Amino acid sequence: MSDELTSEEPLGRLETVHTFSGAMPTGVTVSRQGRIFVNFPRWGDQVDATVAELRDGACVPYPDRDWNNPAGDDDAGAFVSVQSVVVDPTDRLWVLDTGSPKFRPTRTGGPKLVCVDLDTDLVTQTIVFPADVALPSSYLNDVRFDLRRRSAGVAFVTDSSNSGPNGIVVVDLANGTAWRRLNDHPSTKAEPLATFRPLVEGRPFLVCPPDGPPSPVSMGSDGIAISADGGRLYYCPLASRRLYSVSTDALVDRSLDDAEVAATVRDEGDKGSGSDGLESDDAGRVYLTAYEQNAVLRRHPDGRFETLVRDPRLLWPDTMSVSADGYLYVTANQLHRQADYSGGVDRRRRPYALFRVGIDAGPVALLP
């Protein structure tokens, strides 16, 4: 009798781009020229630079050391704790600063959106969010762009707060004006255990303090992606298997009230897994990290799902980025193994990783 037993078949093929021996990364983005930028939120690891560029196999503080050395949580002239970096369709780097190290309450000056010119490596614009947009409880998570709207484009940002209202922040890039949409709408909220009980590596994914009972993960609207035609904005709570979309026209139209915007929300259905990051390509497809399956899923315009890649090394696939040469990049950072979810014991094992997989498509480019 053979000792060989049937095993699951591999799907897709991951290529290792970089490994991280220090702090855990969350965001990644790739410029049109192939430059790779990553970020490291200040959640408790020793973070040398919260934003870095990968150069010759090393993480180099970006745009420089000073921008990565804040004077305090309200420093508008430096990065406090960055959750996401995104290159826009004109090849500018935008840095989304939570202003919330270790998820502390935000103070005005900390939460901001910063633009860096990749030709000069200089900061060209800083949009500081007021306290009625970035609330004390806010955790600004990820951002997408439509540069056709208004005079200089619009940004859409998710607020994934685990202790306050969730929603989407809309930003006019011309003047820095920002406003909240879908504020605490049910589609932006984490689901209770009665409807969502996640398993990661076969273990319940719960907040597990060293002394006391476990509780559900409460992070709301997290992943975000914009459709190839710019008409719909996709989003999902971290603690949910459902995918939602909303009209971008409604988000941007300030003459509409909250109920009129909410009327354009569409429940896109069960996506089969809890997801952290979302992304989209110019072929009209939406990508979803699947942290319960160590996988990346792909949703076609007709609503059909497929598994792009599944791999045991994809331990908490977090953020994705589509590159101009047809790859999908994804970070894997073992988020679920942090002490908060493991009874006070840090179960993460370095290194963390940045992977990529070929997709034969390019990034969405919503240009005037």
Side-chain angles (χ1 to χ4, degrees):
M1 180 181 294
S2 172
D3 290 332
E4 294 296 323
L5 296 176
T6 301
S7 181
E8 68 178 49
E9 297 176 349
L11 286 164
R13 183 175 177 273
L14 286 180
E15 175 185 342
T16 303
V17 176
H18 186 79
T19 56
F20 304 89
S21 59
M24 61 185 286
T26 55
V28 61
T29 192
V30 185
S31 78
R32 301 307 187 268
Q33 282 72 43
R35 297 171 69 180
I36 301 173
F37 302 91
V38 291
N39 67 267
F40 308 87
R42 291 186 166 103
W43 286 347
D45 290 338
Q46 183 64 42
V47 172
D48 178 57
T50 191
V51 178
E53 181 178 2
L54 297 184
R55 296 181 194 164
D56 300 320
C59 289
V60 179
Y62 191 83
D64 55 37
R65 177 71 63 183
D66 288 345
W67 266 97
N68 283 277
N69 187 27
D73 290 2
D74 58 353
D75 190 343
F79 302 139
V80 177
S81 181
V82 171
Q83 179 66 24
S84 183
V85 286
V86 176
V87 170
D88 76 10
T90 63
D91 221 29
R92 298 173 298 182
L93 177 70
W94 291 88
V95 177
L96 183 62
D97 192 347
T98 68
S100 178
K102 298 183 180 179
F103 300 95
R104 291 197 290 263
T106 67
R107 291 188 286 157
T108 301
K112 55 189 173 287
L113 188 60
V114 178
C115 182
V116 186
D117 183 332
L118 293 183
D119 290 331
T120 63
D121 298 322
L122 297 175
V123 170
T124 59
Q125 186 177 9
T126 300
I127 298 172
V128 174
F129 297 113
D132 62 344
V133 173
L135 311 174
S137 61
S138 284
Y139 194 83
L140 302 181
N141 197 292
D142 207 351
V143 59
R144 294 295 181 267
F145 298 90
D146 185 344
L147 300 184
R148 306 168 308 169
R149 297 181 180 275
R150 303 198 169 215
S151 62
V154 167
F156 303 99
V157 178
T158 47
D159 184 346
S160 65
S161 172
N162 64 3
S163 61
N166 300 111
I168 294 171
V169 172
V170 185
V171 189
D172 185 327
L173 299 178
N175 55 26
T177 303
W179 57 97
R180 295 181 69 90
R181 286 301 203 185
L182 300 181
N183 191 60
D184 238 21
H185 187 270
S187 67
T188 70
K189 303 302 293 179
E191 291 189 40
L193 290 178
T195 56
F196 176 65
R197 187 174 291 270
L199 293 174
V200 187
E201 289 191 271
R203 296 183 175 92
F205 176 52
L206 299 166
V207 177
C208 296
D211 50 356
S215 60
V217 173
S218 56
M219 266 90 74
S221 48
D222 185 314
I224 187 173
I226 195 163
S227 64
D229 64 3
R232 305 292 295 181
L233 189 74
Y234 293 91
Y235 60 97
C236 62
L238 185 76
S240 173
R241 294 191 188 102
R242 304 206 74 78
L243 178 68
Y244 299 94
S245 73
V246 62
S247 163
T248 50
D249 286 342
L251 291 174
V252 171
D253 188 349
R254 301 202 70 181
S255 71
L256 300 183
D257 63 24
D258 289 344
E260 289 172 307
V261 176
T264 73
V265 170
R266 184 185 300 158
D267 184 341
E268 302 285 356
D270 190 317
K271 48 191 169 57
S273 174
S275 300
D276 194 324
L278 301 181
E279 184 56 294
S280 54
D281 68 24
D282 59 7
R285 301 172 297 189
V286 176
Y287 298 82
L288 312 95
T289 61
Y291 60 71
E292 293 184 85
Q293 282 85 30
N294 302 338
V296 174
L297 310 179
R298 179 162 59 190
R299 182 182 187 269
H300 289 261
D302 62 4
R304 174 173 54 93
F305 279 85
E306 64 184 355
T307 301
L308 175 67
V309 63
R310 184 168 186 257
D311 192 293
R313 296 172 295 170
L314 275 176
L315 289 169
W316 199 278
D318 192 318
T319 301
M320 297 174 289
S321 177
V322 174
S323 64
D325 59 350
Y327 285 93
L328 180 80
Y329 286 71
V330 58
T331 55
N333 58 22
Q334 304 173 45
L335 180 149
H336 63 291
R337 289 183 173 183
Q338 291 180 101
D340 287 348
Y341 311 111
S342 301
V345 178
D346 186 355
R347 295 176 42 249
R348 298 173 299 167
R349 294 207 306 268
R350 295 173 177 82
Y352 313 112
L354 171 63
F355 300 107
R356 71 178 186 176
V357 58
I359 60 170
D360 193 28
V364 172
L366 299 171
L367 290 162

